Amino acid sequence: MSAFRIRGLNLVESTLRHDEHQLRRFIRRMKDLHLNTLMSYYDYGWNRYGQLILDETSQAGVELCLAVFAPRTFFSYAGWNPQWSAKNSDGSPKFHKLECETKPCCFEPEAIEAYKFGVKRWLAELPTGIKHVHIRSGDGIQFCECPRCKNLPAQEQWQPFLNAFAETLFETRPELSFEVDVYVKRYQLPERFTAQQRASRIMFDTFGRQPFIPLGKNWNTDMMSLYVSEPYSNDISPNEYLLHSLCEWHAKVPNKIYVHENLMGQGLLSINQHNTSVLLEDLKTYHNIGILGVAYEAYEPGFEHFTKQISILARAMNDIKFADEYIPDELERELIGGRWRMSMFCRDINFPIDKYIDDPIVAQHIKNYRDFLDNPNTKHLRQLVEFVFANDERFDSLFAGFHSCDYARVVGNVDFSNASEHARFMLSHRKLWDFIETIPQNDDPRRITRELILDAVSNAKDGR
């Protein structure tokens, strides 16, 4: 018997960054790894790849969990009204359009009704092959600051919409099972968590955790404001807080919790963190607590750099005793030893990359990203993006390009005003996947996105 009921991968919003061959290879590999759960997103790529995903998961014996950014999709059926949006402190809407991060105000009665209308329409249109769905809030931490919401913790602002979804599902599609998430600003238990009690599963996301120490261990950072919207102790670190919250949720809603670990996290740009022993320690902790399992964030672009790590983690999820057999290499021992206080591998400009990384392409990519993060100017932007596109088959180049442009604009003050109108339209989106979803079905989203990123980079100039 496997150590965990849920042994999975989560494609997050990456589907349209794959071609058909990559997506098939990704899912078929899961059977060889004895993984049994895949999460894919309705909002991003389902119209193009939904049938392929249904066919491949069925053939591989993998359970498909179809996730949805609920505000973005459900409000689209009713026609979005910015009056329903989460508000700034001056009363203006935070969101004027439906996108990944869109959040509503829970004190707008019409918003609740429009949301329910969208839930009914969406549930009615789901393919018969869908048996399990996952409901998410808008991404990010921009919750409502209107006079009535500003004193409500983030989890209480979202709870009425979760409860409305659960009520509507049981009225109209009771044969479906569903799950919800526990994520940034919403790690504390809501006062009334009806939806969570009715859900079949709850996904606990360890986003932002320190990657080089196990959960429960102290490594103080300044990131605690990412996790809670209420006062917290100054001496607690994210990894301690996350394990405490995980145990609290498991105690309140037992036998429903599984973990989402951001293994190939988007902002890592395909760079492995070399922390397998830490993740194996986490698996032992989850097993001892009674957590259902783990779904690791992963996608085919850049997968080669995580192949061995995911194979080891998959083996331990099937047989937890294997976690004690793993011996970390010299690089991993260096990273987890506490000498380098990096939030991610490659962040410290002084780390001796050439001492540990033999692959010249990987080493150069790490150096390029390190230099860019240290000084996100036009020179380093071009160096990073042109290199990943020159080695496109090895990296998640589309996200690397978009993310680097966005980071250079915000942090490095790089100016893209000379780029084409279409490239500037792409960069006006908060998330790459919101842009890619606008590309017509008969066009190639990967080709178009690549061309626009290169357009933006070639026309970039240092700002003031």
Side-chain angles (χ1 to χ4, degrees):
M1 179 180 292
S2 296
F4 294 103
R5 253 172 53 198
I6 296 174
R7 309 180 304 280
L9 299 177
N10 187 342
L11 279 167
V12 291
E13 308 91 349
S14 72
T15 311
L16 288 175
R17 302 204 302 274
H18 294 74
D19 62 28
E20 287 191 15
H21 176 69
Q22 289 174 317
L23 205 51
R24 292 184 193 279
R25 185 169 64 211
F26 182 85
I27 298 172
R28 291 175 184 182
R29 185 189 294 112
M30 294 181 69
K31 183 175 182 179
D32 296 332
L33 292 170
H34 303 289
L35 298 175
N36 64 1
T37 305
L38 175 69
M39 183 180 289
S40 184
Y41 278 72
Y42 175 86
D43 307 75
Y44 303 113
W46 184 256
N47 287 337
R48 189 181 294 263
Y49 287 135
Q51 192 57 53
L52 181 156
I53 294 169
L54 282 168
D55 292 344
E56 291 292 340
T57 51
S58 176
Q59 292 172 24
V62 169
E63 178 195 19
L64 174 63
C65 175
L66 184 63
V68 60
F69 283 107
R72 182 188 183 278
T73 290
F74 298 160
F75 284 121
S76 69
Y77 288 96
W80 174 243
N81 182 348
Q83 179 60 35
W84 303 337
S85 170
K87 310 293 193 299
N88 294 304
S89 57
D90 63 2
S92 61
K94 287 180 180 283
F95 305 98
H96 292 274
K97 60 183 179 181
L98 292 174
E99 53 189 327
C100 185
E101 294 194 14
T102 300
K103 296 183 186 65
C105 171
C106 64
F107 288 105
E108 291 284 349
E110 286 188 1
I112 294 285
E113 292 308 309
Y115 178 89
K116 288 181 179 178
F117 175 79
V119 172
K120 289 179 182 178
R121 290 282 301 275
W122 185 74
L123 290 173
E125 295 176 5
L126 284 179
T128 55
I130 299 299
K131 309 296 183 184
H132 184 85
V133 294
H134 173 102
I135 309 307
R136 301 205 68 171
S137 170
D139 201 7
I141 58 175
Q142 295 197 60
F143 289 87
C144 191
E145 300 175 74
C146 79
R148 299 179 73 181
C149 283
K150 67 179 181 180
N151 295 320
L152 278 182
Q155 71 272 13
E156 301 296 351
Q157 291 189 30
W158 177 233
Q159 195 63 35
F161 294 94
L162 277 183
N163 291 341
F165 174 84
E167 292 168 9
T168 306
L169 180 141
F170 280 100
E171 289 172 2
T172 61
R173 294 290 304 275
E175 76 282 5
L176 286 176
S177 62
F178 79 99
E179 64 181 62
V180 301
D181 69 332
V182 178
Y183 190 50
V184 293
K185 294 284 188 182
R186 296 187 282 107
Y187 285 105
Q188 292 171 289
L189 284 157
E191 289 186 9
R192 298 180 181 85
F193 45 100
T194 306
Q196 289 87 342
Q197 291 170 316
R198 303 181 81 176
S200 60
R201 297 197 304 234
I202 298 172
M203 185 187 84
F204 187 98
D205 196 317
T206 60
F207 180 82
R209 58 87 50 86
Q210 218 303 322
F212 302 122
I213 60 170
L215 291 189
K217 301 295 179 64
N218 183 286
W219 187 335
N220 285 322
T221 76
D222 59 358
M223 290 184 64
M224 277 303 298
S225 61
L226 182 68
Y227 294 96
V228 295
S229 52
E230 296 177 333
Y232 56 87
S233 171
N234 290 328
D235 61 356
I236 190 169
S237 64
N239 284 30
E240 292 174 299
Y241 178 79
L242 285 168
L243 183 58
H244 172 80
S245 298
L246 179 64
C247 292
E248 187 175 42
W249 274 95
H250 178 63
K252 289 288 187 180
V253 196
N255 303 315
K256 289 189 178 184
I257 312 294
Y258 75 99
V259 169
H260 174 229
E261 180 67 41
N262 300 263
L263 184 69
M264 285 181 66
Q266 313 263 17
L268 300 178
L269 305 198
S270 307
I271 298 172
N272 192 297
Q273 298 302 283
H274 302 280
N275 62 343
T276 303
S277 58
V278 169
L279 299 178
L280 290 171
E281 283 298 313
D282 289 338
L283 282 179
K284 291 194 289 185
T285 298
Y286 302 151
H287 187 256
N288 290 337
I289 293 171
I291 301 303
L292 295 182
V294 184
Y296 293 98
E297 177 179 353
Y299 12 85
E300 194 62 24
F303 188 90
E304 66 165 275
H305 311 298
F306 296 81
T307 301
K308 181 178 179 181
Q309 184 177 40
I310 290 177
S311 177
I312 292 167
L313 294 170
R315 185 172 172 185
M317 283 195 288
N318 279 282
D319 182 0
I320 196 63
K321 294 192 296 294
F322 180 70
D324 290 322
E325 299 177 15
Y326 176 75
I327 300 174
D329 62 15
E330 185 181 3
L331 171 58
E332 186 171 342
R333 291 196 302 272
E334 180 77 3
L335 290 172
I336 67 176
R339 176 183 172 193
W340 302 94
R341 311 296 276 187
M342 291 185 285
S343 58
M344 62 179 177
F345 175 48
C346 90
R347 193 67 176 91
D348 194 319
I349 201 76
N350 297 309
F351 189 87
I353 292 168
D354 289 326
K355 179 179 178 181
Y356 297 105
I357 304 297
D358 295 328
D359 187 320
I361 291 177
V362 174
Q364 188 60 53
H365 175 52
I366 294 172
K367 292 175 187 176
N368 290 345
Y369 196 24
R370 177 196 63 187
D371 292 345
F372 174 75
L373 292 173
D374 185 60
N375 185 2
N377 58 22
T378 301
K379 174 187 172 183
H380 291 150
L381 171 68
R382 288 186 179 137
Q383 179 178 277
L384 172 62
V385 175
E386 289 173 1
F387 188 81
V388 294
F389 278 124
N391 297 279
D392 184 51
E393 74 286 353
R394 302 201 62 185
F395 301 110
D396 187 1
S397 56
L398 296 183
F399 181 80
F402 179 89
H403 171 76
S404 301
C405 288
D406 189 57
Y407 190 88
R409 178 181 60 82
V410 174
V411 178
N413 199 26
V414 171
D415 182 356
F416 294 97
S417 59
N418 288 341
S420 69
E421 182 179 359
H422 200 184
R424 285 184 280 115
F425 171 71
M426 175 189 69
L427 294 179
S428 72
H429 290 78
R430 299 176 196 247
K431 307 284 190 182
L432 173 62
W433 29 97
D434 279 318
F435 166 72
I436 301 183
E437 192 67 18
T438 69
I439 297 173
Q441 284 284 103
N442 58 342
D443 288 331
D444 180 351
R446 300 174 76 248
R447 176 186 60 79
I448 289 173
T449 305
R450 176 192 174 101
E451 290 173 356
L452 293 176
I453 291 170
L454 290 173
D455 175 335
V457 169
S458 65
N459 286 288
K461 58 183 180 180
D462 288 318
R464 58 184 182 278

